[in-house]
Amino acid sequence: MDQNQNGLKDPVKTSFNRIGFPKGFLFGSATSAFQTEGYDFNTDWHEWEKTGATTDHMTDHPAADSWHKWPEDIELLKKTNQNAYRFGVEWARIEPEEGKFDETAIDHYRQILAKLKENNITSMVTLHHFTLPLWLAKKGGVINKRFPFYFACYAKKVISQIGGLADFWTTINEPKVYVLDGIIRGKFPPNEKSYWKAYLARKNLIKAHIRAYKLIKKIDQNIQVGINQNLTAYVPVGNNIFNKFMTRIARFVDADIFIRPTNKFTDFLGINYYRKYQMQAKRPIAQEEGSIKNEYGWSINQEGLYQVIKENMKWGKPIYITENGCADEDDNIRPEFIRQALEYIRKAINEGADVRGYFYWSLLDNFELAEGYIMKFGLADINRNLRPSARVYADLIKKYSSDLS
Ligand code: BGC
């Protein structure tokens, strides 16, 4: 396969690029509430951050200050021809105390949704993206057997107030990552290392999604509801039968543990794709493939995006790529990264995949979870200066939107 100057595999020379994107395809970017809004002191993540636990040991939480600067964020979307935006609402702001809802916080999100509509920007809103209100975290968070009930009450409140203003809702961002990093590896809040608690958390997250889905549909049958699944592409090393077996297991665990029980209760599948792994039986840990690394040290391989799309067509739902991003402060890799994402999506569409949107992660540099402020995923920095890759994305959107088939 051809290599461009950054060493990324180049799919563009092949002949699958004849047909354009489907009409109405969403070209957008994504953020999350806690990682972007800043100054949200009422969450378990802020408590954790205050202890200096992130890689950069920063204890303050400005993030990108989107709580105040959200109109500027919408300007960034407009400037770059994006027609869609995925963002999050923060549970801790909406329900700062158990059962007490803050109407001003809901109104804040109402204004954002209205502004997006006014600008013909399709919205996708996430109800839960890793963070919990402190009152709930103190009760055990997702491990508490009443978690599905608490989540459903919160979802009901939000949807009954502003549900119809958004085009799409997602309930829970990356339940698998939440369980893996928060409850098995102890890397994120709630900082647990317990398989038993992971089992309980998985059960509760699934129940919470299903309960919220049913409630939302009762409020308004037309509201589109999905879930964001983090999916990894796995390939076996060589032709070894054991490596192939390991790969099958990895693929199964990666997708099935959360998609299979929730799929019936979704209107679409949100895929967050970041990584591709090589699997071999003799090593317990998957090796990363590819020579180019982002600032995280993650190998970049966008062909994996194509692979996960193809593998997950079997669930029979429309697919939205709800995250795909690259930490690259100097913006060396990101332009090609985005171009390849779109090319591989086109390839999948041309082969029958029902992919309806792409959201680059992230619109802005933000609070990058365990890494604090070190990783720069943004199309723009926190001062809202667009990086050159944002222009590349804008031009690609323009080009593809004009030859929509
Ligand atoms: C998460 C984001 C995070 C990104 C990059 C995704 O799995 O949903 O919140 O910022 O990865 O680490």
Side-chain angles (χ1 to χ4, degrees), residues 15-48:
S15 60
F16 54 74
N17 297 318
R18 299 263 173 257
I19 307 172
F21 284 90
K23 247 197 176 74
F25 191 88
L26 302 181
F27 296 98
S29 51
T31 58
S32 84
F34 185 75
Q35 291 178 264
T36 314
E37 288 174 348
Y39 304 111
D40 176 359
F41 302 124
N42 204 14
T43 61
D44 56 343
W45 271 78
H46 182 63
E47 282 301 294
W48 176 73

mmCIF file of all heavy atoms in Angstrom, residues 15-48:
data_model
loop_
_atom_site.group_PDB
_atom_site.id
_atom_site.type_symbol
_atom_site.label_atom_id
_atom_site.label_comp_id
_atom_site.label_asym_id
_atom_site.label_seq_id
_atom_site.Cartn_x
_atom_site.Cartn_y
_atom_site.Cartn_z
ATOM 1 N N SER A 15 -9.849 2.552 -6.418
ATOM 2 C CA SER A 15 -10.920 3.062 -7.279
ATOM 3 C C SER A 15 -12.281 3.142 -6.602
ATOM 4 O O SER A 15 -13.286 3.312 -7.253
ATOM 5 C CB SER A 15 -11.024 2.160 -8.512
ATOM 6 O OG SER A 15 -11.323 0.874 -8.041
ATOM 7 N N PHE A 16 -12.322 3.002 -5.276
ATOM 8 C CA PHE A 16 -13.628 2.954 -4.638
ATOM 9 C C PHE A 16 -14.222 4.328 -4.394
ATOM 10 O O PHE A 16 -15.288 4.453 -3.839
ATOM 11 C CB PHE A 16 -13.574 2.173 -3.321
ATOM 12 C CG PHE A 16 -12.541 2.641 -2.348
ATOM 13 C CD1 PHE A 16 -12.708 3.802 -1.636
ATOM 14 C CD2 PHE A 16 -11.395 1.887 -2.152
ATOM 15 C CE1 PHE A 16 -11.753 4.225 -0.742
ATOM 16 C CE2 PHE A 16 -10.431 2.301 -1.250
ATOM 17 C CZ PHE A 16 -10.609 3.477 -0.557
ATOM 18 N N ASN A 17 -13.512 5.381 -4.831
ATOM 19 C CA ASN A 17 -13.975 6.722 -4.476
ATOM 20 C C ASN A 17 -14.866 7.370 -5.523
ATOM 21 O O ASN A 17 -14.954 8.587 -5.613
ATOM 22 C CB ASN A 17 -12.769 7.615 -4.207
ATOM 23 C CG ASN A 17 -12.011 7.093 -3.024
ATOM 24 O OD1 ASN A 17 -12.617 6.695 -2.032
ATOM 25 N ND2 ASN A 17 -10.703 7.033 -3.145
ATOM 26 N N ARG A 18 -15.510 6.565 -6.311
ATOM 27 C CA ARG A 18 -16.334 7.124 -7.389
ATOM 28 C C ARG A 18 -17.603 7.780 -6.857
ATOM 29 O O ARG A 18 -18.042 8.789 -7.328
ATOM 30 C CB ARG A 18 -16.728 6.005 -8.367
ATOM 31 C CG ARG A 18 -15.535 5.342 -9.016
ATOM 32 C CD ARG A 18 -15.266 5.927 -10.392
ATOM 33 N NE ARG A 18 -14.038 5.412 -10.920
ATOM 34 C CZ ARG A 18 -12.901 6.110 -10.941
ATOM 35 N NH1 ARG A 18 -12.852 7.329 -10.486
ATOM 36 N NH2 ARG A 18 -11.798 5.581 -11.434
ATOM 37 N N ILE A 19 -18.189 7.138 -5.862
ATOM 38 C CA ILE A 19 -19.494 7.614 -5.408
ATOM 39 C C ILE A 19 -19.339 8.505 -4.186
ATOM 40 O O ILE A 19 -18.520 8.250 -3.320
ATOM 41 C CB ILE A 19 -20.409 6.410 -5.067
ATOM 42 C CG1 ILE A 19 -20.451 5.448 -6.245
ATOM 43 C CG2 ILE A 19 -21.809 6.872 -4.702
ATOM 44 C CD1 ILE A 19 -21.147 4.148 -5.963
ATOM 45 N N GLY A 20 -20.165 9.549 -4.118
ATOM 46 C CA GLY A 20 -20.060 10.482 -3.007
ATOM 47 C C GLY A 20 -20.734 9.979 -1.750
ATOM 48 O O GLY A 20 -21.210 8.845 -1.678
ATOM 49 N N PHE A 21 -20.798 10.841 -0.761
ATOM 50 C CA PHE A 21 -21.508 10.505 0.471
ATOM 51 C C PHE A 21 -23.013 10.621 0.240
ATOM 52 O O PHE A 21 -23.461 11.408 -0.593
ATOM 53 C CB PHE A 21 -21.091 11.480 1.578
ATOM 54 C CG PHE A 21 -19.736 11.177 2.135
ATOM 55 C CD1 PHE A 21 -18.591 11.741 1.588
ATOM 56 C CD2 PHE A 21 -19.603 10.329 3.222
ATOM 57 C CE1 PHE A 21 -17.339 11.457 2.109
ATOM 58 C CE2 PHE A 21 -18.357 10.039 3.742
ATOM 59 C CZ PHE A 21 -17.220 10.603 3.186
ATOM 60 N N PRO A 22 -23.786 9.871 1.034
ATOM 61 C CA PRO A 22 -25.243 10.006 0.882
ATOM 62 C C PRO A 22 -25.711 11.401 1.253
ATOM 63 O O PRO A 22 -25.067 12.078 2.069
ATOM 64 C CB PRO A 22 -25.798 8.984 1.868
ATOM 65 C CG PRO A 22 -24.662 8.367 2.570
ATOM 66 C CD PRO A 22 -23.389 8.883 2.012
ATOM 67 N N LYS A 23 -26.827 11.794 0.699
ATOM 68 C CA LYS A 23 -27.420 13.108 1.005
ATOM 69 C C LYS A 23 -27.679 13.212 2.507
ATOM 70 O O LYS A 23 -28.101 12.238 3.128
ATOM 71 C CB LYS A 23 -28.766 13.234 0.287
ATOM 72 C CG LYS A 23 -28.737 14.274 -0.766
ATOM 73 C CD LYS A 23 -30.137 14.710 -1.193
ATOM 74 C CE LYS A 23 -30.012 15.827 -2.186
ATOM 75 N NZ LYS A 23 -29.563 15.370 -3.505
ATOM 76 N N GLY A 24 -27.412 14.371 3.047
ATOM 77 C CA GLY A 24 -27.682 14.565 4.477
ATOM 78 C C GLY A 24 -26.606 13.999 5.374
ATOM 79 O O GLY A 24 -26.763 13.984 6.597
ATOM 80 N N PHE A 25 -25.519 13.520 4.791
ATOM 81 C CA PHE A 25 -24.438 12.979 5.613
ATOM 82 C C PHE A 25 -23.947 14.054 6.587
ATOM 83 O O PHE A 25 -23.806 15.224 6.223
ATOM 84 C CB PHE A 25 -23.283 12.514 4.719
ATOM 85 C CG PHE A 25 -22.242 11.710 5.460
ATOM 86 C CD1 PHE A 25 -22.370 10.337 5.585
ATOM 87 C CD2 PHE A 25 -21.147 12.336 6.043
ATOM 88 C CE1 PHE A 25 -21.414 9.596 6.283
ATOM 89 C CE2 PHE A 25 -20.196 11.605 6.742
ATOM 90 C CZ PHE A 25 -20.329 10.223 6.855
ATOM 91 N N LEU A 26 -23.695 13.637 7.830
ATOM 92 C CA LEU A 26 -23.265 14.614 8.838
ATOM 93 C C LEU A 26 -21.745 14.683 8.910
ATOM 94 O O LEU A 26 -21.077 13.674 9.124
ATOM 95 C CB LEU A 26 -23.827 14.232 10.212
ATOM 96 C CG LEU A 26 -25.348 14.114 10.309
ATOM 97 C CD1 LEU A 26 -25.758 13.745 11.728
ATOM 98 C CD2 LEU A 26 -26.033 15.407 9.872
ATOM 99 N N PHE A 27 -21.234 15.884 8.730
ATOM 100 C CA PHE A 27 -19.799 16.115 8.900
ATOM 101 C C PHE A 27 -19.653 17.034 10.110
ATOM 102 O O PHE A 27 -19.984 18.229 10.027
ATOM 103 C CB PHE A 27 -19.215 16.840 7.684
ATOM 104 C CG PHE A 27 -19.290 16.063 6.398
ATOM 105 C CD1 PHE A 27 -20.319 16.298 5.498
ATOM 106 C CD2 PHE A 27 -18.321 15.122 6.084
ATOM 107 C CE1 PHE A 27 -20.380 15.603 4.291
ATOM 108 C CE2 PHE A 27 -18.383 14.427 4.876
ATOM 109 C CZ PHE A 27 -19.412 14.664 3.983
ATOM 110 N N GLY A 28 -19.203 16.497 11.213
ATOM 111 C CA GLY A 28 -19.165 17.337 12.410
ATOM 112 C C GLY A 28 -17.967 17.057 13.275
ATOM 113 O O GLY A 28 -16.987 16.440 12.850
ATOM 114 N N SER A 29 -18.068 17.539 14.491
ATOM 115 C CA SER A 29 -17.060 17.189 15.480
ATOM 116 C C SER A 29 -17.741 17.043 16.832
ATOM 117 O O SER A 29 -18.903 17.402 16.996
ATOM 118 C CB SER A 29 -15.924 18.207 15.510
ATOM 119 O OG SER A 29 -16.434 19.496 15.618
ATOM 120 N N ALA A 30 -16.981 16.496 17.795
ATOM 121 C CA ALA A 30 -17.580 16.129 19.077
ATOM 122 C C ALA A 30 -16.819 16.744 20.249
ATOM 123 O O ALA A 30 -15.619 17.020 20.151
ATOM 124 C CB ALA A 30 -17.586 14.605 19.214
ATOM 125 N N THR A 31 -17.554 16.942 21.333
ATOM 126 C CA THR A 31 -16.955 17.333 22.616
ATOM 127 C C THR A 31 -17.738 16.597 23.704
ATOM 128 O O THR A 31 -18.750 15.970 23.415
ATOM 129 C CB THR A 31 -17.076 18.856 22.882
ATOM 130 O OG1 THR A 31 -18.464 19.225 22.852
ATOM 131 C CG2 THR A 31 -16.317 19.692 21.865
ATOM 132 N N SER A 32 -17.275 16.727 24.945
ATOM 133 C CA SER A 32 -18.106 16.228 26.059
ATOM 134 C C SER A 32 -18.232 17.359 27.065
ATOM 135 O O SER A 32 -17.400 18.281 27.082
ATOM 136 C CB SER A 32 -17.482 15.000 26.715
ATOM 137 O OG SER A 32 -16.521 15.372 27.678
ATOM 138 N N ALA A 33 -19.235 17.280 27.923
ATOM 139 C CA ALA A 33 -19.498 18.393 28.833
ATOM 140 C C ALA A 33 -18.303 18.665 29.753
ATOM 141 O O ALA A 33 -17.695 19.734 29.716
ATOM 142 C CB ALA A 33 -20.756 18.103 29.659
ATOM 143 N N PHE A 34 -17.940 17.684 30.552
ATOM 144 C CA PHE A 34 -16.910 17.932 31.567
ATOM 145 C C PHE A 34 -15.559 18.275 30.933
ATOM 146 O O PHE A 34 -14.825 19.126 31.425
ATOM 147 C CB PHE A 34 -16.742 16.697 32.464
ATOM 148 C CG PHE A 34 -15.797 16.929 33.601
ATOM 149 C CD1 PHE A 34 -16.181 17.679 34.700
ATOM 150 C CD2 PHE A 34 -14.510 16.416 33.580
ATOM 151 C CE1 PHE A 34 -15.311 17.913 35.754
ATOM 152 C CE2 PHE A 34 -13.625 16.641 34.631
ATOM 153 C CZ PHE A 34 -14.033 17.389 35.723
ATOM 154 N N GLN A 35 -15.242 17.636 29.828
ATOM 155 C CA GLN A 35 -13.932 17.859 29.218
ATOM 156 C C GLN A 35 -13.815 19.232 28.556
ATOM 157 O O GLN A 35 -12.719 19.705 28.296
ATOM 158 C CB GLN A 35 -13.652 16.770 28.180
ATOM 159 C CG GLN A 35 -13.441 15.405 28.796
ATOM 160 C CD GLN A 35 -13.223 14.343 27.726
ATOM 161 O OE1 GLN A 35 -14.153 13.654 27.336
ATOM 162 N NE2 GLN A 35 -12.005 14.228 27.240
ATOM 163 N N THR A 36 -14.939 19.853 28.268
ATOM 164 C CA THR A 36 -14.918 21.085 27.481
ATOM 165 C C THR A 36 -15.436 22.309 28.235
ATOM 166 O O THR A 36 -14.882 23.400 28.113
ATOM 167 C CB THR A 36 -15.763 20.890 26.196
ATOM 168 O OG1 THR A 36 -15.425 19.647 25.623
ATOM 169 C CG2 THR A 36 -15.506 21.990 25.187
ATOM 170 N N GLU A 37 -16.499 22.101 29.021
ATOM 171 C CA GLU A 37 -17.146 23.268 29.654
ATOM 172 C C GLU A 37 -16.254 23.958 30.688
ATOM 173 O O GLU A 37 -16.196 25.184 30.760
ATOM 174 C CB GLU A 37 -18.430 22.830 30.371
ATOM 175 C CG GLU A 37 -19.557 22.463 29.450
ATOM 176 C CD GLU A 37 -20.755 21.907 30.223
ATOM 177 O OE1 GLU A 37 -20.638 21.589 31.428
ATOM 178 O OE2 GLU A 37 -21.820 21.788 29.606
ATOM 179 N N GLY A 38 -15.598 23.170 31.515
ATOM 180 C CA GLY A 38 -14.770 23.736 32.576
ATOM 181 C C GLY A 38 -15.568 24.208 33.774
ATOM 182 O O GLY A 38 -16.788 24.317 33.723
ATOM 183 N N TYR A 39 -14.868 24.457 34.837
ATOM 184 C CA TYR A 39 -15.427 25.017 36.075
ATOM 185 C C TYR A 39 -16.673 24.295 36.539
ATOM 186 O O TYR A 39 -17.659 24.906 36.922
ATOM 187 C CB TYR A 39 -15.703 26.513 35.897
ATOM 188 C CG TYR A 39 -14.474 27.244 35.477
ATOM 189 C CD1 TYR A 39 -14.354 27.781 34.196
ATOM 190 C CD2 TYR A 39 -13.389 27.366 36.343
ATOM 191 C CE1 TYR A 39 -13.189 28.416 33.796
ATOM 192 C CE2 TYR A 39 -12.217 27.991 35.947
ATOM 193 C CZ TYR A 39 -12.137 28.509 34.680
ATOM 194 O OH TYR A 39 -10.986 29.125 34.279
ATOM 195 N N ASP A 40 -16.603 22.996 36.487
ATOM 196 C CA ASP A 40 -17.721 22.208 36.977
ATOM 197 C C ASP A 40 -17.223 21.459 38.208
ATOM 198 O O ASP A 40 -16.512 20.478 38.113
ATOM 199 C CB ASP A 40 -18.160 21.238 35.875
ATOM 200 C CG ASP A 40 -19.264 20.329 36.354
ATOM 201 O OD1 ASP A 40 -19.654 20.458 37.531
ATOM 202 O OD2 ASP A 40 -19.715 19.496 35.568
ATOM 203 N N PHE A 41 -17.595 21.974 39.374
ATOM 204 C CA PHE A 41 -16.952 21.489 40.591
ATOM 205 C C PHE A 41 -17.745 20.421 41.329
ATOM 206 O O PHE A 41 -17.389 20.037 42.410
ATOM 207 C CB PHE A 41 -16.676 22.679 41.520
ATOM 208 C CG PHE A 41 -15.825 23.710 40.856
ATOM 209 C CD1 PHE A 41 -16.225 25.030 40.750
ATOM 210 C CD2 PHE A 41 -14.602 23.343 40.321
ATOM 211 C CE1 PHE A 41 -15.420 25.966 40.118
ATOM 212 C CE2 PHE A 41 -13.786 24.266 39.685
ATOM 213 C CZ PHE A 41 -14.207 25.584 39.582
ATOM 214 N N ASN A 42 -18.819 20.009 40.748
ATOM 215 C CA ASN A 42 -19.737 19.164 41.497
ATOM 216 C C ASN A 42 -19.725 17.705 41.035
ATOM 217 O O ASN A 42 -20.681 16.989 41.221
ATOM 218 C CB ASN A 42 -21.145 19.769 41.341
ATOM 219 C CG ASN A 42 -22.043 19.378 42.471
ATOM 220 O OD1 ASN A 42 -21.589 18.883 43.495
ATOM 221 N ND2 ASN A 42 -23.334 19.560 42.268
ATOM 222 N N THR A 43 -18.621 17.313 40.394
ATOM 223 C CA THR A 43 -18.568 15.950 39.844
ATOM 224 C C THR A 43 -17.490 15.113 40.541
ATOM 225 O O THR A 43 -16.547 15.649 41.133
ATOM 226 C CB THR A 43 -18.190 15.963 38.349
ATOM 227 O OG1 THR A 43 -16.904 16.553 38.250
ATOM 228 C CG2 THR A 43 -19.164 16.753 37.514
ATOM 229 N N ASP A 44 -17.617 13.801 40.391
ATOM 230 C CA ASP A 44 -16.587 12.894 40.924
ATOM 231 C C ASP A 44 -15.241 13.143 40.244
ATOM 232 O O ASP A 44 -14.187 13.028 40.849
ATOM 233 C CB ASP A 44 -17.034 11.432 40.759
ATOM 234 C CG ASP A 44 -17.382 11.048 39.326
ATOM 235 O OD1 ASP A 44 -17.590 11.952 38.488
ATOM 236 O OD2 ASP A 44 -17.456 9.843 39.036
ATOM 237 N N TRP A 45 -15.283 13.509 38.979
ATOM 238 C CA TRP A 45 -14.028 13.755 38.251
ATOM 239 C C TRP A 45 -13.300 14.974 38.793
ATOM 240 O O TRP A 45 -12.075 14.995 38.832
ATOM 241 C CB TRP A 45 -14.298 13.934 36.749
ATOM 242 C CG TRP A 45 -14.252 12.618 36.050
ATOM 243 C CD1 TRP A 45 -15.221 11.680 36.041
ATOM 244 C CD2 TRP A 45 -13.154 12.078 35.322
ATOM 245 N NE1 TRP A 45 -14.808 10.592 35.329
ATOM 246 C CE2 TRP A 45 -13.549 10.797 34.875
ATOM 247 C CE3 TRP A 45 -11.887 12.540 34.993
ATOM 248 C CZ2 TRP A 45 -12.707 9.986 34.117
ATOM 249 C CZ3 TRP A 45 -11.050 11.727 34.235
ATOM 250 C CH2 TRP A 45 -11.460 10.471 33.811
ATOM 251 N N HIS A 46 -14.018 15.984 39.197
ATOM 252 C CA HIS A 46 -13.331 17.148 39.747
ATOM 253 C C HIS A 46 -12.698 16.797 41.094
ATOM 254 O O HIS A 46 -11.563 17.200 41.381
ATOM 255 C CB HIS A 46 -14.272 18.347 39.893
ATOM 256 C CG HIS A 46 -13.535 19.542 40.424
ATOM 257 N ND1 HIS A 46 -12.502 20.137 39.721
ATOM 258 C CD2 HIS A 46 -13.622 20.200 41.597
ATOM 259 C CE1 HIS A 46 -12.003 21.128 40.435
ATOM 260 N NE2 HIS A 46 -12.664 21.187 41.584
ATOM 261 N N GLU A 47 -13.400 16.022 41.898
ATOM 262 C CA GLU A 47 -12.852 15.591 43.192
ATOM 263 C C GLU A 47 -11.535 14.852 42.978
ATOM 264 O O GLU A 47 -10.563 15.036 43.693
ATOM 265 C CB GLU A 47 -13.841 14.635 43.888
ATOM 266 C CG GLU A 47 -14.998 15.335 44.538
ATOM 267 C CD GLU A 47 -14.566 16.346 45.596
ATOM 268 O OE1 GLU A 47 -14.016 15.921 46.625
ATOM 269 O OE2 GLU A 47 -14.779 17.563 45.373
ATOM 270 N N TRP A 48 -11.547 14.032 41.956
ATOM 271 C CA TRP A 48 -10.381 13.196 41.660
ATOM 272 C C TRP A 48 -9.219 14.051 41.130
ATOM 273 O O TRP A 48 -8.073 13.915 41.547
ATOM 274 C CB TRP A 48 -10.822 12.151 40.630
ATOM 275 C CG TRP A 48 -9.750 11.246 40.131
ATOM 276 C CD1 TRP A 48 -9.175 10.223 40.829
ATOM 277 C CD2 TRP A 48 -9.134 11.261 38.850
ATOM 278 N NE1 TRP A 48 -8.242 9.594 40.050
ATOM 279 C CE2 TRP A 48 -8.194 10.208 38.832
ATOM 280 C CE3 TRP A 48 -9.275 12.050 37.711
ATOM 281 C CZ2 TRP A 48 -7.408 9.931 37.712
ATOM 282 C CZ3 TRP A 48 -8.495 11.781 36.597
ATOM 283 C CH2 TRP A 48 -7.567 10.728 36.599
#
